[in-house]
Amino acid sequence: MQEMADKKPDLDGFLPHPRVRGMITLDKAAFKNDVIIPALLVNKDITNNLLKSLKGVLLQRPGLKRVVEDPDDENRKYILLDPHKISADGSLGESEQQILKSFGIKPETVKYNMKLTYDNFKTEEILKAVLPEGQEIITAFSRIGHIAHMNLRSHQLPYKHLIGQVIIDKNQGITCAVNKINIIDNMYRNFEMELLAGDGANMITKVKENYISYEFDFSKVYWNPRLSTEHLRIVNLLKPGDLLFDVFAGVGPFAIPAAKKNCMVFANDLNPESCKWLQHNCKLNKVDKKVKVFNLDGRTFLKGPVKEELDKHLSSKEWKNSVHIIMNLPAMAIEFLDAFRHLLNGEPSSAELPTVHCHCFSKHDNPTQDVQERVEALLGASLCSLCSVKWVRNVAPNKEMMCVSFQLPAEVLYKPLSSLADDPGEPPSKRSCTNENYTEENNQTI
């Protein structure tokens, strides 16, 4: 018979040994613990049938068998039960009792001494045992290929390397854990990070989003897997033949699926690394002939390539498709909207005016009203029914990411001919804004 300790069944959860409390450097051997759980001791010839009938109350733990041999009798086996699904006194429910009676078994449980190791505990259980009692346990992370990206709270920082190693150990395919150590406030939209555990030498990773593959160096570009739904929502608004300008394109989560739909795509990003990986991803997804890539400041892109293409297409009687302009830089994209004011000269043609999709943050109690008012102030015009505002995601307490979509009013986009006489305009010597030769302020397209 299995030797039993004089303990009650563990109904509070499977926990590591209390000695791990406060551990900073991971010592897996210290997590060993004995836990008493309820079990059934039955003849081995009926074990398989019982497992099928009792599957609702069986033990389900990482790396643990639900059936173990009785060391004192080779004809009997222990069927291990989940203590969370058994009453505090170890008694079975009415339905389980009836099942056992139908097999001619007395409906009583015995105590089984389960020896647990680090491998048998879940991430939450390990961190709950290590961190000071009462502290919030946060185990969420973003998975970017083989990289786990975490935003640790201040109370977790003393345990950061242990947390990183646990995340690697408990998630198949994760080989590197990093922690974001500052907000995204630099000109290239990427953030500084520190290595928590694993191999930090290889930050080049591969992800798949909405059936499209992307590769990039996560330490040098911006990628957020929480935006996959928003990427898909915007791309679903596009139709084959539409013209898309992606002002802050990153590594291509809008541009590449749009090109897959046979849209004409002009994609821009200020970060040279983003442009490099954008071009790489275009080739990877076989749309490199459909996407023109620029490495410019957003305002320069709008007043250069975007202006030139809008002049050409909106003045053409043959142009029947839609134009979309995506501005996904929520921290500051809204500040670029004034670049649309009188971007084009003359009067609007019969062509449909461009639709802008601008992402931004709001800390206002009414974020929908807030972002619309800010957009109208920068455009110098009321949008009324031309505008729709969508909630994208909650970024932080009292901070929402929103997307405001609107059709550019003609009075904003076009500069009336009557006012051109007093405007010398741009010098005729300005070079054409093509993907091959456009240069301005030391920004060069790739």
Side-chain angles (χ1 to χ4, degrees):
M1 178 76 67
Q2 168 82 7
E3 183 180 350
M4 300 298 165
D6 186 17
K7 300 179 183 177
K8 295 181 179 179
D10 178 10
L11 301 180
D12 296 324
F14 296 85
L15 297 177
H17 195 280
R19 62 175 165 262
V20 303
R21 180 75 66 194
M23 178 186 291
I24 295 177
T25 301
L26 183 61
D27 177 7
K28 296 181 181 181
F31 285 82
K32 292 179 181 178
N33 200 13
D34 290 352
V35 179
I36 301 301
I37 64 171
L40 296 171
L41 188 59
V42 301
N43 292 331
K44 67 178 184 180
D45 57 347
I46 62 171
T47 300
N48 290 336
N49 290 331
L50 267 177
L51 289 176
K52 296 176 183 178
S53 301
L54 296 172
K55 60 183 179 180
V57 295
L58 297 178
L59 178 68
Q60 296 186 14
R61 299 290 301 175
L64 291 180
K65 296 179 179 179
R66 293 181 292 187
V67 179
V68 294
E69 304 286 343
D70 179 359
D72 299 324
D73 188 342
E74 63 180 15
N75 293 315
R76 296 195 301 179
K77 291 186 177 183
Y78 287 99
I79 296 179
L80 307 184
L81 306 176
D82 187 341
H84 295 97
K85 298 177 181 177
I86 305 296
S87 62
D89 61 1
S91 61
L92 295 163
E94 182 64 31
S95 61
E96 287 79 22
Q97 292 185 38
Q98 292 300 322
I99 291 171
L100 292 177
K101 288 178 180 179
S102 69
F103 281 90
I105 301 173
K106 192 175 181 180
E108 293 180 352
T109 63
V110 297
K111 295 177 181 180
Y112 183 84
N113 189 5
M114 172 68 69
K115 296 185 179 298
L116 300 173
T117 69
Y118 172 84
D119 293 334
N120 305 133
F121 296 114
K122 300 176 182 178
T123 303
E124 304 82 29
E125 293 165 341
I126 292 174
L127 298 187
K128 182 179 180 181
V130 169
L131 271 63
E133 278 190 272
Q135 283 198 1
E136 183 182 13
I137 306 299
I138 301 174
T139 60
F141 63 89
S142 295
R143 182 165 186 162
I144 301 93
H146 67 279
I147 302 169
H149 168 225
M150 309 191 74
N151 292 327
L152 296 182
R153 304 286 178 85
S154 58
H155 70 271
Q156 296 175 307
L157 293 179
Y159 311 92
K160 60 187 180 182
H161 297 298
L162 180 147
I163 293 172
Q165 188 59 54
V166 172
I167 293 298
I168 291 175
D169 292 341
K170 299 299 178 179
N171 294 273
Q172 187 175 8
I174 295 290
T175 62
C176 174
V178 298
N179 182 41
K180 173 181 166 184
I181 57 176
N182 72 336
I183 61 173
I184 302 172
D185 59 357
N186 61 59
M187 64 190 302
Y188 290 156
R189 299 177 65 196
N190 56 329
F191 47 78
E192 292 183 30
M193 62 180 73
E194 61 177 336
L195 180 68
L196 301 180
D199 179 14
N202 180 22
M203 297 301 290
I204 296 176
T205 189
K206 185 173 184 177
V207 301
K208 182 166 283 190
E209 179 182 275
N210 300 323
Y211 305 103
I212 295 177
S213 295
Y214 302 88
E215 293 179 348
F216 48 84
D217 186 335
F218 184 57
S219 68
K220 297 179 179 178
V221 305
Y222 177 83
W223 181 268
N224 190 338
R226 293 184 176 91
L227 294 176
S228 61
T229 301
E230 179 65 3
H231 295 153
L232 182 62
R233 183 185 74 84
I234 295 292
V235 171
N236 282 341
L237 300 176
L238 309 177
K239 297 178 180 178
D242 283 353
L243 175 59
L244 172 65
F245 298 102
D246 194 349
V247 185
F248 311 105
V251 298
F254 289 111
I256 291 172
K260 285 278 191 181
K261 293 185 73 170
N262 289 319
C263 295
M264 294 184 290
V265 180
F266 288 70
N268 173 74
D269 203 281
L270 180 61
N271 184 354
E273 283 290 323
S274 294
C275 291
K276 181 183 81 172
W277 289 105
L278 171 56
Q279 288 188 311
H280 172 84
N281 290 323
C282 287
K283 292 179 181 178
L284 181 67
N285 290 282
K286 297 179 172 58
V287 294
D288 49 305
K289 304 298 183 184
K290 300 178 182 179
V291 181
K292 292 186 177 181
V293 178
F294 296 82
N295 179 206
L296 301 170
D297 171 77
R299 190 174 297 274
T300 305
F301 178 63
L302 290 170
K303 292 190 173 184
V306 175
K307 171 179 166 56
E308 180 178 337
E309 292 299 317
L310 290 180
D311 267 330
K312 180 170 65 176
H313 287 87
L314 297 186
S315 62
S316 171
K317 294 182 179 179
E318 286 74 31
W319 178 252
K320 304 297 182 184
N321 296 86
S322 298
V323 178
H324 292 262
I325 303 171
I326 298 176
M327 304 176 71
N328 181 27
L329 183 60
M332 58 190 304
I334 202 168
E335 298 172 14
F336 288 76
L337 291 178
D338 64 320
F340 290 112
R341 297 175 69 170
H342 296 170
L343 183 64
L344 304 182
N345 296 327
E347 301 293 337
S349 67
S350 58
E352 179 182 327
L353 293 172
T355 298
V356 176
H357 309 279
C358 181
H359 293 86
C360 54
F361 294 134
S362 176
K363 295 183 178 181
H364 199 275
D365 291 340
N366 187 338
T368 298
Q369 178 182 342
D370 172 49
V371 298
Q372 180 166 344
E373 290 177 351
R374 288 159 59 197
V375 167
E376 291 176 338
L378 282 157
L379 293 176
S382 175
L383 295 176
C384 301
S385 60
L386 297 173
C387 175
S388 69
V389 182
K390 300 288 186 182
W391 178 86
V392 178
R393 70 185 187 98
N394 175 258
V395 178
N398 195 36
K399 184 178 182 181
E400 310 296 332
M401 180 176 174
M402 313 294 289
C403 179
V404 54
S405 298
F406 58 92
Q407 193 172 51
L408 278 168
E411 65 270 23
V412 171
L413 183 60
Y414 285 90
K415 188 170 189 176
L417 289 171
S418 58
S419 65
L420 294 180
D422 299 326
D423 185 354
E426 294 177 341
S429 61
K430 185 172 180 180
R431 297 175 67 184
S432 175
C433 308
T434 65
N435 192 41
E436 291 77 19
N437 65 17
Y438 184 84
T439 61
E440 182 172 325
E441 300 175 0
N442 297 321
N443 288 316
Q444 184 172 355
T445 57
I446 296 177

